[in-house]
Amino acid sequence: MGRAFWVDQDFDRDRDGRYAVHVRKNLDAFDWGDIAPVRFACAAWELATPPSLSPGYVRWDRRVLEATCVRNTWDGSLNARVRLVSPLPAQLTSSRAWWRDRGWLDWQETFGQYVEPSQQDLARHPFLRACLLVEAPVPLDDLPPEPEGPHDEVEQSAVRAVTVLTRELNALLAPVLEQLGP
């Protein structure tokens, strides 16, 4: 089975631990004093992904457009919110009657990556780009506890949190991406 997300440790190591440096420079991204690991894990994930860090410490499959982790306001649990490129639904592809020779375009690809159309493209053609929005709870079991403050091995805890989130999101989304195909 493929993977939806991975930590690019080689790239990071070749650049002298740039994720740890990024975490240390952005300690204000963390809210301290929570007994649950959720806020810390969400902040660590945000610092590990674009646009905060580009290229990201966490990389993802070309069908992943964005991936965020948020605290559920109802019970404080951790939720993932991931947008995926999808083929058009069968209801739209079974007949092209709605198409009416308007020149509809689907997702464009550049160097194997799905890209948003430019303003110039939008001025010339209509686009119909299907996306799936995945919103799901993420288990907290293996997340490290939130450090007690900015002095308490924050970088190591952030790396551990991102590693756990990557594993959990892979378990959740790799089967979906496999079903969607290349």
Side-chain angles (χ1 to χ4, degrees):
M1 182 177 295
R3 58 187 179 169
F5 299 91
W6 63 94
V7 173
D8 194 347
Q9 294 173 340
D10 293 336
F11 187 83
D12 191 66
R13 189 175 24 258
D14 290 346
R15 280 146 187 87
D16 300 321
R18 73 186 181 107
Y19 177 61
V21 170
H22 188 60
V23 167
R24 180 54 59 189
K25 286 182 180 177
N26 290 281
L27 291 174
D28 58 335
F30 299 98
D31 291 325
W32 308 104
D34 195 350
I35 60 169
V38 175
R39 285 192 319 194
F40 180 81
C42 290
W45 180 265
E46 185 176 339
L47 290 175
T49 57
S52 181
L53 191 61
S54 187
Y57 176 62
V58 173
R59 306 288 179 97
W60 48 59
D61 182 274
R62 68 190 200 103
R63 285 193 177 275
V64 175
L65 296 173
E66 64 181 322
T68 58
C69 292
V70 296
R71 183 182 182 134
N72 184 313
T73 58
W74 181 70
D75 66 357
S77 62
L78 184 108
N79 284 37
R81 188 172 204 272
V82 182
R83 263 188 349 117
L84 303 173
V85 168
S86 174
L88 292 175
Q91 295 89 334
L92 290 176
T93 59
S94 63
S95 167
R96 297 288 183 165
W98 61 274
W99 206 263
R100 299 192 187 192
D101 297 326
R102 293 186 187 266
W104 287 95
L105 296 176
D106 197 353
W107 282 99
Q108 296 178 319
E109 293 183 56
T110 301
F111 302 114
Q113 298 299 310
Y114 292 99
V115 295
E116 305 276 333
S118 69
Q119 290 298 307
Q120 182 179 7
D121 293 333
L122 289 170
R124 293 184 177 154
H125 303 281
F127 283 81
L128 183 60
R129 297 172 291 132
C131 295
L132 297 175
L133 177 60
V134 177
E135 293 180 303
V138 177
L140 305 178
D141 303 342
D142 292 334
L143 286 175
E146 178 178 296
E148 294 198 17
H151 56 281
D152 189 25
E153 298 183 352
V154 175
E155 299 92 335
Q156 293 88 339
S157 293
V159 166
R160 175 72 183 145
V162 166
T163 301
V164 169
L165 290 171
T166 300
R167 183 191 70 218
E168 295 297 337
L169 290 174
N170 271 329
L172 181 68
L173 293 169
V176 174
L177 289 173
E178 188 172 306
Q179 186 66 39
L180 287 173

